[in-house]
């Protein structure tokens, strides 16, 4: 509950998600959880790049969009 409140989350589903994450990580004691979170804090965080990352596939150079294609 302290973690949820610290993140300004006031839904039970958020707390349930935290508990499921701990279960998935096989964290069974308070000591294991504390150790896990300490290791997460010391791990280097990835910086998000400011440049845009393209999503999906590139559009071929000769492509023309025909919205009426296939209609009779």
């Amino acid at each position: 509950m302290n973690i949820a409140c610290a993140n300004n989350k006031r839904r039970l589903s958020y707390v349930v998600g935290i508990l499921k994450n701990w279960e998935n990580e096989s964290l069974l004691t308070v000591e294991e959880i504390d150790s896990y979170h300490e290791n997460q804090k010391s791990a280097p965080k990835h910086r998000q790049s400011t440049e845009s990352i393209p999503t999906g596939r590139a559009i071929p150079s000769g492509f023309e969009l025909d919205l009426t294609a296939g209609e009779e």
Side-chain angles (χ1 to χ4, degrees):
M1 295 297 289
N2 289 339
I3 294 170
C5 290
N7 289 308
N8 201 25
K9 305 293 183 181
R10 306 251 158 86
R11 302 246 180 224
L12 183 59
S13 60
Y14 189 84
V15 175
V16 170
I18 292 171
L19 296 173
K20 285 182 180 179
N21 287 342
W22 289 347
E23 181 181 32
N24 290 340
E25 295 291 332
S26 300
L27 303 174
L28 303 177
T29 66
V30 174
E31 291 80 16
E32 290 174 338
I33 292 167
D34 289 341
S35 175
Y36 176 80
H37 285 290
E38 284 300 317
N39 290 336
Q40 291 296 319
K41 286 181 186 176
S42 64
K45 304 251 179 183
H46 294 291
R47 295 181 123 194
Q48 288 186 346
S49 175
T50 56
E51 67 182 66
S52 175
I53 299 172
T55 59
R57 298 186 319 187
I59 299 173
S61 60
F63 178 78
E64 290 184 28
L65 178 62
D66 183 2
L67 297 177
T68 61
E71 295 183 6
E72 297 178 318

